[in-house]
Amino acid sequence: MKGIKSNIMDFTFKMSYSTILLFLISYGLTGQTKTTYQDNQLSLDSLVHYGKLDNGFTYYIRKNDTEKNQVEMYLVTKAGMFHEENDQLGYAHLMEHLVFKETTHFPKVKEYFRKVGRKAHAGTRYTYTYYNVGLASDDTIALANGLQLLRDWAQDLKFDQNSLKTEQGAVLGEMRVNNPYREWKSDKIKSLITEGTGYKEQDLDKIKQSTKNLNKQAFIRFHNDWYQPELEAAIIVGDIDPEKIESRIKDLFSNLKPSKKTKNPQDWVRRQKARLSGKNRFAATIDTISPGLQLAILFNQPNFIDQITSKEDYQLMIQQEFYWRLVQAKQEALKNQYALPYADLSVNYLRNRIAAGQIASSKMMIDFEQGDQNTIEEKIKSSLLFWKRFNTGFSENEFQKIKAQLLKKYTNRSDRSSQELIMKYLNHFVNGTLAPNSVIESQLLSQMIKKTSLEDIQKFVSTYAKFTENTDFLFFRHPKAQKPNFNVLKHLISTIDTMSIPILPPAPATINSLSKFYPLDSVSSDRKVQVKKDILGVARMTLNKGLHLILKPTNPASAAFKDQINITAFKINDASSLQRKNYLSNMAFIDMLNFSGAGPYSRFQLEKFKDSKGISLHYRADKDWQIISATSNSKNFSELLSLIVLQNTQPNFVDSDIKSWKSSTAKNLKGFGIRGSTYFIDQAIETKWFPNIPKMQLKDLTVIDKSTLMEAANTWTKNLTDFTFIITGDFKVDTITPILNQKLSVIPASTINQNKKRKGAAFPFKKMKETLYEKNINQAYVKLYFPVKIKNTTKNKALINIISQALYERIYDRLREGCYAPLGGGQWLDKENNLYAFKIQFDSELGNETKMIKYALEEFQKLKQQGINKQWLELEMKTELNRYEKYFDRFGYVDFWSEYLMLSTKDKKQYFNNILRYGTLMEHFINVEDVNTAAKEYLTQENYQQFIILPEAYHQMN
């Protein structure tokens, strides 16, 4: 072994895997880390145990107890998408899937690491591939197995034809997207940016074909070339004893056989080096989907973030972050004060995705309605002048605000997470970047930030951010739209460069406090409100005008959620579906609240106010519920309540806001909106389940105007006390109760019956087979439902949760052949009527959906007939209890109590039982026979419902 530290002894243990396991169990893993320091403090963290074995294998080991009793273990190889030869396109990704899935010691990696406290995943990047295990560090058996798994991944390629076929399907499924039109536009933009830079964009079609038609020899060659010890590293960070882990690494990895001729991975990386030319470029592409004309303006510069090999690189990184934040702050300030000429501005567009992260770009999108050349030129000129405004004239006050933000971000960063540290060491290994100790790096960056002047940033702008250099103009043009004149555009740019920035009209007044500008505080309640607390720590109160409040304080899951208070206010959607126009107007009004002003304030003023106070507020509705969701910190909680009352009692709709809402809604209806999920598929299915519930269509937008919205507003405000407010988060009940009483007591009284039932249409409890057609998709989506009557008891809830998990595992294993992430599970369709449905969902290549449906139904039937075994059940019950109970006393991205209290308000008996009895039932009163009996009874196809969603164009073609 090549010693890197003086305290590392140069010897190697020779023990079997079983001996290591016994040693770890008997000896334990507690101890103190011995710290030594490198000569170059910026090169590598001195607390890292770093070494290289005789065969070239590298390791980084560091103790980090910021997350108690946790350890993260990575195996990294310098083999990524850049290292594929022409006959190996897509093979780095496919290799990752197969290497991860099964090894000599772990035939089913994912199944083993599904246990409580364990996780495993892998990923492929441009220059490397990583494999990760997360474990409880005091679990000595799991820790020994984790090390062995890293060793297996390092050089143990094990797969059969079935595994290969399954992972080919999974990789191909991973390439499919929910919004192909949006992806197509992004690809066009990336191609223009990288054109002529020396970087070669990947050809997705060629990758798909190469993955489908696997060249087995080339695939094996990729593994033999790149999965070699001299190109690999183990990176282990967590609550561990590094010296003991180090000795295990030496023993396990020393017998890896090095290759006879090692390839230099940097040769492949250098081939993809991107260099901006300094020129502006102009292009147009035909867009047959979207009418009219759009222009994407792309302001490009080198990306200095995360490319740190020297102090000078740190300086450029800091200056670039100053620049981005200054531009973003100006853009946000103006966006919340004026109607801007462009449609959208993304200051850091596709971060780290352009030229493999080598180029940073800001994207400005301009939409042109049908107009003449002069109108188009005027809109481009106005937009570029705004961009010029964003890049010049930074005030000292603006600069100091950003400096304070960066000092807060980079000062005293000694408590970095294990994942953050691992990524620094990973980049050190793969790219040769600096990876200093967090304290040293924090001190260096703090000094640099303090010394950075406004003149430094202005120099950065003049060097890297001139729109007369490295700016691309890409028109998306419908065939019927006017062709852009590039010569006119070039002349326009040179003219704008010499123009002075026009003075903007005075901005609307800034709202510092709604209490000051809008006299809500003048109306207060003298009546003391009685607060009742139950054994679950839930407090309930009713204000003097009948408004119901439920409060459940919980602990934040991390520092990011400290002092956060969440509000979920809900009421039954009592809008009558019998009158289409009125129903849709009510639904439109609720959504319009997200686009409008209130009282004397404009939409822009309120947006700026929310940003300054850290407030989020959103309104939504479906056929069953009307819901208000909001978040703030304790300091601004009173302001949040004032805003809710103001928006709900004095909505202010102006024509420009209505136009903005209609434009956004039309995009979604045409399939061009942002799709972060497959929720749009659920909406399509609901049109078949509930055909009498009106659904918004493009033609409906023409009849919804200010008068219809204000009519709906009158209905909404009269019924505001029908809402129940659930407040959860990091607060004390006694502290916020007076604030709630004072602010919400102004809500008008209601004469509506508080105990009314939902008017939602009854679920169709029958067999259904439907094929639906959607815009802007290029794959098949399938959802299968198996409705069944199940009495809503705590024990039945536990049983169906177990069965749903078993269904998920079967579906995932079987359908991975044609889908990246197939799902199985279940959901309550109507708790009041004891109606539940098991469900299966997946996407597939067009034409393959029928075969996958067949596979899904086979697995459903096998689970019904074969059930589960005792060993699986014992593991699942532990996992389910951990899943269910970990949210009781803490909240984060998941807020258990908010949803639970909302669904439990009508059923007080189950409200207590589900919390108090669920764990006991799961642990002591459910056995294999119970589960398998329930599976036979409840897994039924008697009312099987099948929904296939295909592209609209596919329907027309057939």
Side-chain angles (χ1 to χ4, degrees), residues 511-512 560 562-566 606-617 630-637 639-640 643:
I511 308 171
N512 294 316
K562 187 175 177 58
D563 196 38
Q564 179 174 305
I565 304 176
N566 303 323
L606 290 182
E607 287 297 330
K608 187 176 182 181
F609 172 73
K610 287 190 288 184
D611 287 345
S612 67
K613 301 296 183 182
I615 288 172
S616 69
L617 178 59
T631 299
S632 80
N633 55 32
S634 59
K635 180 182 177 182
N636 293 304
F637 185 61
E639 299 287 357
L640 169 59
L643 178 59

Side-chain angles (χ1 to χ4, degrees), residues 1-2 51-59 249-250 253-254:
M1 187 203 80
K2 299 174 184 177
K52 188 172 284 191
L53 305 181
D54 291 337
N55 57 12
F57 186 84
T58 306
Y59 60 83
I249 293 289
K250 293 176 187 177
F253 291 85
S254 291

Side-chain angles (χ1 to χ4, degrees), residues 565-584:
I565 304 176
N566 303 323
I567 293 177
T568 300
F570 67 96
K571 62 172 279 190
I572 290 168
N573 189 356
D574 55 358
S576 173
S577 61
L578 299 178
Q579 296 179 315
R580 178 181 180 82
K581 183 180 177 181
N582 289 344
Y583 179 84
L584 293 178

Side-chain angles (χ1 to χ4, degrees), residues 185 266 285 316 398 517 625 706 830 858:
K185 291 180 81 171
Q266 285 304 313
T285 188
L316 284 169
E398 291 170 330
F517 283 89
W625 303 102
K706 187 173 182 177
D830 186 346
E858 287 174 359

Side-chain angles (χ1 to χ4, degrees), residues 301-318:
Q301 57 186 252
N303 184 10
F304 298 112
I305 307 297
D306 299 328
Q307 307 292 325
I308 311 300
T309 58
S310 66
K311 286 185 180 180
E312 291 72 24
D313 289 340
Y314 272 123
Q315 191 70 62
L316 284 169
M317 179 193 81
I318 289 297

Side-chain angles (χ1 to χ4, degrees), residues 315-329:
Q315 191 70 62
L316 284 169
M317 179 193 81
I318 289 297
Q319 289 177 359
Q320 189 167 57
E321 192 161 359
F322 258 111
Y323 166 72
W324 281 341
R325 286 179 180 240
L326 282 164
V327 172
Q328 185 67 41

Side-chain angles (χ1 to χ4, degrees), residues 102 159 196 279 307 525 571 658 741 751 784 878 934:
E102 55 183 306
F159 68 90
K279 298 178 181 178
Q307 307 292 325
S525 174
K571 62 172 279 190
I658 296 172
N741 187 28
T751 57
L784 311 178
K878 290 179 183 177

